[in-house]
Amino acid sequence: MSEIVLEGRNIVRDYHVGGSLFAKAKVVHAVKDVSFTLEKGKTLAIVGESGCGKSTLGRILTLIDPQTSGELLIDGKPINIAKDRITPEMRRKVQIIFQNPYGSLNPRQKIGEVLGEPLLLNTNKTAAERRELAMQMLVKVGLGPEHYNRYPHMFSGGQRQRIAIARALMLSPSLLVLDEPVSALDLSVQAQVLNLLADLQDEFDLTYVFISHDLSVVRYIADEVMVMYYGEVVEYGTREEVFSNPQHSYTKTLFAATPKSDVESIRARLARKKAAA
Amino acid sequence: MALLEIKNLSVGFDTSTGQFMAVQGIDLSVDAREVLAIVGESGSGKSVAMLAVMGLLPKAATVTADSMIFDGHDMLTMSGKQRREIIGRDVAMIFQEPMASLNPCFTVGFQLEEVLRFHMKMDRPTRRKRAIELFKQVGIPAPEERLNSFPHQMSGGQCQRVMIAIAIACNPKLLIADEPTTALDVTIQKQILDLLVSLQAKHGMGLIMITHDMGVVAETADRVIVQYKGRKMEEADVLSLFEAPKSPYTRALLSALPENATGDRLSTVADFMKNEAASAGVAP
Amino acid sequence: MADTTVPGGTSTESSLWRRIAEFWYYFSENRGAVIGLCFFVLLVIIALLAPLIAPHGPADQYRDAVLVPPYGQEGGRLTFLLGTDAVGRDILSRLIYGARYSLFIGVIVTTIALIGGIFLGVIAGYFRGWVDSAIMRLMDIILAFPSLLLALVLVAVLGPGLVNAMIAIALVFQPHFVRLTRAAVMSEKTRDYVIAAKVSGAGHLRLMFKTILPNCMAPLIVQATLSFSNAILDAAALGFLGYGAQPPTPEWGTMLADAREFISSGHWWVVTLPGLAILITVLAINLVGDGLRDALDPKLKRS
């Protein structure tokens, strides 16, 4: 068995909403008792509808928000940001890519600065070294050194997502949390970015946590699948297990609702329509 | 005769860097009782073409067409007043963001009845009765109570149902749905699509589905127009489009679907782009 | 949204030019703003070159030419184009020198208010909680007073004079900048790029001033322009009441105060001309502010 990069043990996240001088705070359980393990080089897909807690879980894994209770282990080391300060070494292990490529890049920052910032803040590299590494990374994600001095608004959505991927990889993390990375992209660009992610995973031996609502993408990219529903994990297994033999009724509903675009389904639908008319 | 027939539609926008052509020479026709899907990626001008038909484009846009005939009326020469009478009654439109399409200051019932008062000149009790009936049709439970809700008290799927109720309130002949399910979850998407298609069949409307999602096309359309950068790439009935796409762009688009992945890699549209760029010099 | 590479050759300079060109496109759509800008530029030039342009010194008194009407009126003289005041000073020259004071007041007051407002606003919007409450309640207290009255009280405490008047006005303007900055920071703070910078390891100070603040500048620039004209107005008002610049300073408000006794007499030019100068300047700057808002605020941008 290969090494385990990420492990969650009974992770819970509660939110207190309302709660002013006059109203008692209500507790919302965004993530309930989630446990999982993820091996190096694998992809775990977290599937669910909006508000099911998948993004909250992603933020906990990326050390943005603390968990309310439960244990989070990255590379075997437990971490709880509510108690401990995040060390630069911890920071370097896990990075995130967001859904909206238009919001995730600072409009006033040149691409070079975007890519250099993680190095500037976490390493002692000189400006020349940072520049060199950023240029190399741009080439790796399919852009060119000539993009170094441009601003984000000069790029298309797909290119921006490449830049966001490049920024996440600057610190050579072992774990990448991808929060709906292709949902905002056009179909053709989506394919390119998915290909890029697959290439980078091979090259850097990356572990992915892939958060998505799109089952066809999940089926393409995931090794393991976790289905969340109202903060709870209702289905967790390998891709083959989940897709060929879903256990929970919600998973089945989800599969039934996904549009089918194969010729057989279209033919069946048209036949049904004809019969009804 | 077709319900809506447009010949050689072009739409240009004035911008700080000169005129930008969003739609270039599109021909389009929809019959009553037909579901036409216009599919394309962002920037393909799929929404702009329909907004031009509705007369909803900003002043910076210039619309030209050889002809634009809806149900025997010439939309090009029509006065603003005539157009407003037709739009909302005979042509209705629903949008991507149901929450943003409803006015947050008024109850959904009021907004629905407003349409009935304006276009159908109904009195108050008839309006209420019709509103309840419409809510039942679009599958909103407990319609009497829901009429008094404000948009923020309803979920996205419920709001989209309200939008559909408003759209079909005057028994339109043509319903234009602009990415009606993009903002919704998959399970809700399924319900809304089923609702739209069943309403279309029941009322014998023409339905234009604008979408970027090939899955939505496959689940709803009779006929499909594929658009790319303001031009029509292909027009075909849905089965032959998926079975044997003629245009290289459609082929590229279909092979980029993750479910059509062969082996480890997805084919991309990049190859098509290259050909496009190479032939740009000679293309009309 | 094609994922093709933009052809090379678009360097940073051309991007900057394109941004300026785009800015000018939206700005110049507002005719009034362009006129305002032209007048403002003219005013700056006049203020800078005052010693060269002005026909007389601002404090030179011509005892033989007291209350001479403007040239063209009966009894007007060519040497005193806009006439003279009660002690025989050339009004045109005083107005020209007065432009210096007005611009100086505008710049200083706006700068002080802007810097203080940004600092407090960023802290309040970024940290929220009790820091936010404390700062905002203090600003609410300042806002609860009529602004000119508060400025008067402050000047009364600090003692009359141009510098104290400017400090007082800057303090009165503070809350507007704090509120605006705070609102902008709060909306930017939740954006993904800020979280991304946080995940990159950026600390609080860097997040506040390097990541968030540059993206909040557009509304602040607009507010600064409008404050600029307000500062000129308030300073003139204080001057008129005798708490601002002290005579014989050729400040427009002070000039008005000196001319108070002629308001109902026949010597209309002594009163009208400084008033007109204030009016036109404030109007021009406000027009520029409107144009800036059109050009900088993406929400108001027409497609």
Side-chain angles (χ1 to χ4, degrees), chain A residues 237-257:
Chain A
T238 64
R239 172 177 58 176
E240 285 71 28
E241 283 167 11
V242 173
F243 276 89
S244 59
N245 187 19
Q247 297 299 312
H248 195 270
S249 63
Y250 173 71
T251 319
K252 289 175 189 162
T253 319
L254 207 56
F255 286 166

mmCIF file of all heavy atoms in Angstrom, chain A residues 237-257:
data_model
loop_
_atom_site.group_PDB
_atom_site.id
_atom_site.type_symbol
_atom_site.label_atom_id
_atom_site.label_comp_id
_atom_site.label_asym_id
_atom_site.label_seq_id
_atom_site.Cartn_x
_atom_site.Cartn_y
_atom_site.Cartn_z
ATOM 1 N N GLY A 237 -16.638 5.181 -2.170
ATOM 2 C CA GLY A 237 -16.027 3.961 -2.680
ATOM 3 C C GLY A 237 -15.197 4.264 -3.914
ATOM 4 O O GLY A 237 -15.037 5.425 -4.289
ATOM 5 N N THR A 238 -14.700 3.228 -4.565
ATOM 6 C CA THR A 238 -13.954 3.445 -5.790
ATOM 7 C C THR A 238 -14.926 3.863 -6.884
ATOM 8 O O THR A 238 -16.132 3.686 -6.760
ATOM 9 C CB THR A 238 -13.226 2.172 -6.242
ATOM 10 O OG1 THR A 238 -14.223 1.200 -6.556
ATOM 11 C CG2 THR A 238 -12.303 1.651 -5.161
ATOM 12 N N ARG A 239 -14.373 4.426 -7.942
ATOM 13 C CA ARG A 239 -15.222 4.903 -9.026
ATOM 14 C C ARG A 239 -16.111 3.786 -9.557
ATOM 15 O O ARG A 239 -17.310 3.956 -9.760
ATOM 16 C CB ARG A 239 -14.349 5.466 -10.141
ATOM 17 C CG ARG A 239 -15.134 5.812 -11.393
ATOM 18 C CD ARG A 239 -14.249 6.431 -12.418
ATOM 19 N NE ARG A 239 -13.142 5.536 -12.778
ATOM 20 C CZ ARG A 239 -12.257 5.809 -13.723
ATOM 21 N NH1 ARG A 239 -12.327 6.931 -14.378
ATOM 22 N NH2 ARG A 239 -11.285 4.970 -13.998
ATOM 23 N N GLU A 240 -15.512 2.603 -9.765
ATOM 24 C CA GLU A 240 -16.262 1.501 -10.338
ATOM 25 C C GLU A 240 -17.428 1.101 -9.428
ATOM 26 O O GLU A 240 -18.556 0.937 -9.883
ATOM 27 C CB GLU A 240 -15.356 0.285 -10.590
ATOM 28 C CG GLU A 240 -14.427 0.432 -11.788
ATOM 29 C CD GLU A 240 -13.314 1.446 -11.546
ATOM 30 O OE1 GLU A 240 -12.914 1.632 -10.380
ATOM 31 O OE2 GLU A 240 -12.863 2.081 -12.521
ATOM 32 N N GLU A 241 -17.118 1.010 -8.135
ATOM 33 C CA GLU A 241 -18.173 0.627 -7.187
ATOM 34 C C GLU A 241 -19.340 1.602 -7.242
ATOM 35 O O GLU A 241 -20.492 1.208 -7.366
ATOM 36 C CB GLU A 241 -17.623 0.618 -5.749
ATOM 37 C CG GLU A 241 -16.776 -0.578 -5.394
ATOM 38 C CD GLU A 241 -16.017 -0.355 -4.094
ATOM 39 O OE1 GLU A 241 -16.319 0.627 -3.382
ATOM 40 O OE2 GLU A 241 -15.120 -1.151 -3.809
ATOM 41 N N VAL A 242 -19.003 2.876 -7.157
ATOM 42 C CA VAL A 242 -20.064 3.882 -7.048
ATOM 43 C C VAL A 242 -20.871 3.965 -8.335
ATOM 44 O O VAL A 242 -22.096 4.026 -8.307
ATOM 45 C CB VAL A 242 -19.467 5.256 -6.676
ATOM 46 C CG1 VAL A 242 -20.541 6.333 -6.729
ATOM 47 C CG2 VAL A 242 -18.843 5.199 -5.295
ATOM 48 N N PHE A 243 -20.169 3.959 -9.476
ATOM 49 C CA PHE A 243 -20.910 4.163 -10.717
ATOM 50 C C PHE A 243 -21.667 2.919 -11.169
ATOM 51 O O PHE A 243 -22.721 3.017 -11.782
ATOM 52 C CB PHE A 243 -19.967 4.639 -11.840
ATOM 53 C CG PHE A 243 -19.743 6.118 -11.798
ATOM 54 C CD1 PHE A 243 -18.718 6.659 -11.049
ATOM 55 C CD2 PHE A 243 -20.578 6.989 -12.496
ATOM 56 C CE1 PHE A 243 -18.520 8.024 -10.992
ATOM 57 C CE2 PHE A 243 -20.392 8.355 -12.444
ATOM 58 C CZ PHE A 243 -19.358 8.884 -11.690
ATOM 59 N N SER A 244 -21.121 1.731 -10.880
ATOM 60 C CA SER A 244 -21.817 0.534 -11.364
ATOM 61 C C SER A 244 -22.864 0.052 -10.375
ATOM 62 O O SER A 244 -23.864 -0.538 -10.765
ATOM 63 C CB SER A 244 -20.798 -0.587 -11.648
ATOM 64 O OG SER A 244 -20.086 -0.889 -10.466
ATOM 65 N N ASN A 245 -22.642 0.346 -9.088
ATOM 66 C CA ASN A 245 -23.576 -0.199 -8.119
ATOM 67 C C ASN A 245 -23.839 0.794 -6.987
ATOM 68 O O ASN A 245 -23.433 0.581 -5.854
ATOM 69 C CB ASN A 245 -23.000 -1.516 -7.568
ATOM 70 C CG ASN A 245 -23.992 -2.211 -6.676
ATOM 71 O OD1 ASN A 245 -25.189 -1.929 -6.724
ATOM 72 N ND2 ASN A 245 -23.488 -3.088 -5.817
ATOM 73 N N PRO A 246 -24.536 1.897 -7.300
ATOM 74 C CA PRO A 246 -24.794 2.882 -6.244
ATOM 75 C C PRO A 246 -25.723 2.317 -5.196
ATOM 76 O O PRO A 246 -26.696 1.621 -5.520
ATOM 77 C CB PRO A 246 -25.439 4.048 -7.009
ATOM 78 C CG PRO A 246 -25.991 3.460 -8.252
ATOM 79 C CD PRO A 246 -25.108 2.305 -8.599
ATOM 80 N N GLN A 247 -25.417 2.578 -3.918
ATOM 81 C CA GLN A 247 -26.195 2.001 -2.819
ATOM 82 C C GLN A 247 -27.293 2.944 -2.345
ATOM 83 O O GLN A 247 -28.427 2.540 -2.184
ATOM 84 C CB GLN A 247 -25.249 1.698 -1.629
ATOM 85 C CG GLN A 247 -24.189 0.678 -1.948
ATOM 86 C CD GLN A 247 -24.799 -0.665 -2.335
ATOM 87 O OE1 GLN A 247 -25.689 -1.185 -1.652
ATOM 88 N NE2 GLN A 247 -24.325 -1.245 -3.424
ATOM 89 N N HIS A 248 -26.935 4.205 -2.132
ATOM 90 C CA HIS A 248 -27.869 5.132 -1.514
ATOM 91 C C HIS A 248 -28.875 5.652 -2.549
ATOM 92 O O HIS A 248 -28.542 5.820 -3.724
ATOM 93 C CB HIS A 248 -27.089 6.306 -0.922
ATOM 94 C CG HIS A 248 -27.888 7.129 0.033
ATOM 95 N ND1 HIS A 248 -28.634 8.203 -0.373
ATOM 96 C CD2 HIS A 248 -28.048 7.041 1.378
ATOM 97 C CE1 HIS A 248 -29.221 8.744 0.688
ATOM 98 N NE2 HIS A 248 -28.881 8.061 1.766
ATOM 99 N N SER A 249 -30.079 5.915 -2.081
ATOM 100 C CA SER A 249 -31.126 6.329 -3.016
ATOM 101 C C SER A 249 -30.779 7.685 -3.636
ATOM 102 O O SER A 249 -31.096 7.950 -4.798
ATOM 103 C CB SER A 249 -32.460 6.422 -2.288
ATOM 104 O OG SER A 249 -32.384 7.423 -1.298
ATOM 105 N N TYR A 250 -30.094 8.571 -2.875
ATOM 106 C CA TYR A 250 -29.753 9.880 -3.424
ATOM 107 C C TYR A 250 -28.789 9.743 -4.606
ATOM 108 O O TYR A 250 -28.936 10.407 -5.624
ATOM 109 C CB TYR A 250 -29.135 10.784 -2.351
ATOM 110 C CG TYR A 250 -28.627 12.071 -2.933
ATOM 111 C CD1 TYR A 250 -29.526 13.043 -3.382
ATOM 112 C CD2 TYR A 250 -27.272 12.298 -3.115
ATOM 113 C CE1 TYR A 250 -29.089 14.200 -3.958
ATOM 114 C CE2 TYR A 250 -26.822 13.456 -3.700
ATOM 115 C CZ TYR A 250 -27.728 14.412 -4.114
ATOM 116 O OH TYR A 250 -27.303 15.549 -4.703
ATOM 117 N N THR A 251 -27.808 8.843 -4.463
ATOM 118 C CA THR A 251 -26.868 8.626 -5.560
ATOM 119 C C THR A 251 -27.602 8.166 -6.808
ATOM 120 O O THR A 251 -27.310 8.606 -7.922
ATOM 121 C CB THR A 251 -25.833 7.561 -5.153
ATOM 122 O OG1 THR A 251 -25.445 7.786 -3.813
ATOM 123 C CG2 THR A 251 -24.620 7.611 -6.046
ATOM 124 N N LYS A 252 -28.569 7.297 -6.591
ATOM 125 C CA LYS A 252 -29.339 6.785 -7.734
ATOM 126 C C LYS A 252 -30.107 7.919 -8.400
ATOM 127 O O LYS A 252 -30.140 8.032 -9.634
ATOM 128 C CB LYS A 252 -30.303 5.691 -7.277
ATOM 129 C CG LYS A 252 -29.579 4.408 -6.883
ATOM 130 C CD LYS A 252 -30.554 3.381 -6.315
ATOM 131 C CE LYS A 252 -29.769 2.216 -5.723
ATOM 132 N NZ LYS A 252 -30.597 1.425 -4.817
ATOM 133 N N THR A 253 -30.733 8.798 -7.577
ATOM 134 C CA THR A 253 -31.455 9.945 -8.132
ATOM 135 C C THR A 253 -30.507 10.811 -8.959
ATOM 136 O O THR A 253 -30.847 11.280 -10.046
ATOM 137 C CB THR A 253 -32.024 10.810 -6.981
ATOM 138 O OG1 THR A 253 -32.532 9.967 -5.979
ATOM 139 C CG2 THR A 253 -33.089 11.746 -7.489
ATOM 140 N N LEU A 254 -29.324 11.023 -8.395
ATOM 141 C CA LEU A 254 -28.336 11.866 -9.058
ATOM 142 C C LEU A 254 -27.977 11.292 -10.427
ATOM 143 O O LEU A 254 -27.924 12.009 -11.429
ATOM 144 C CB LEU A 254 -27.091 11.934 -8.165
ATOM 145 C CG LEU A 254 -26.209 13.169 -8.266
ATOM 146 C CD1 LEU A 254 -27.016 14.416 -7.998
ATOM 147 C CD2 LEU A 254 -25.066 13.055 -7.273
ATOM 148 N N PHE A 255 -27.744 10.001 -10.476
ATOM 149 C CA PHE A 255 -27.384 9.375 -11.754
ATOM 150 C C PHE A 255 -28.534 9.477 -12.748
ATOM 151 O O PHE A 255 -28.327 9.758 -13.922
ATOM 152 C CB PHE A 255 -27.025 7.898 -11.542
ATOM 153 C CG PHE A 255 -25.684 7.706 -10.902
ATOM 154 C CD1 PHE A 255 -25.311 6.484 -10.369
ATOM 155 C CD2 PHE A 255 -24.787 8.764 -10.838
ATOM 156 C CE1 PHE A 255 -24.069 6.323 -9.773
ATOM 157 C CE2 PHE A 255 -23.555 8.600 -10.237
ATOM 158 C CZ PHE A 255 -23.194 7.376 -9.697
ATOM 159 N N ALA A 256 -29.761 9.264 -12.234
ATOM 160 C CA ALA A 256 -30.911 9.298 -13.134
ATOM 161 C C ALA A 256 -31.114 10.694 -13.714
ATOM 162 O O ALA A 256 -31.606 10.852 -14.834
ATOM 163 C CB ALA A 256 -32.157 8.844 -12.381
ATOM 164 N N ALA A 257 -30.737 11.712 -12.947
ATOM 165 C CA ALA A 257 -30.984 13.081 -13.385
ATOM 166 C C ALA A 257 -29.936 13.593 -14.362
ATOM 167 O O ALA A 257 -30.158 14.586 -15.049
ATOM 168 C CB ALA A 257 -31.035 14.002 -12.170
#
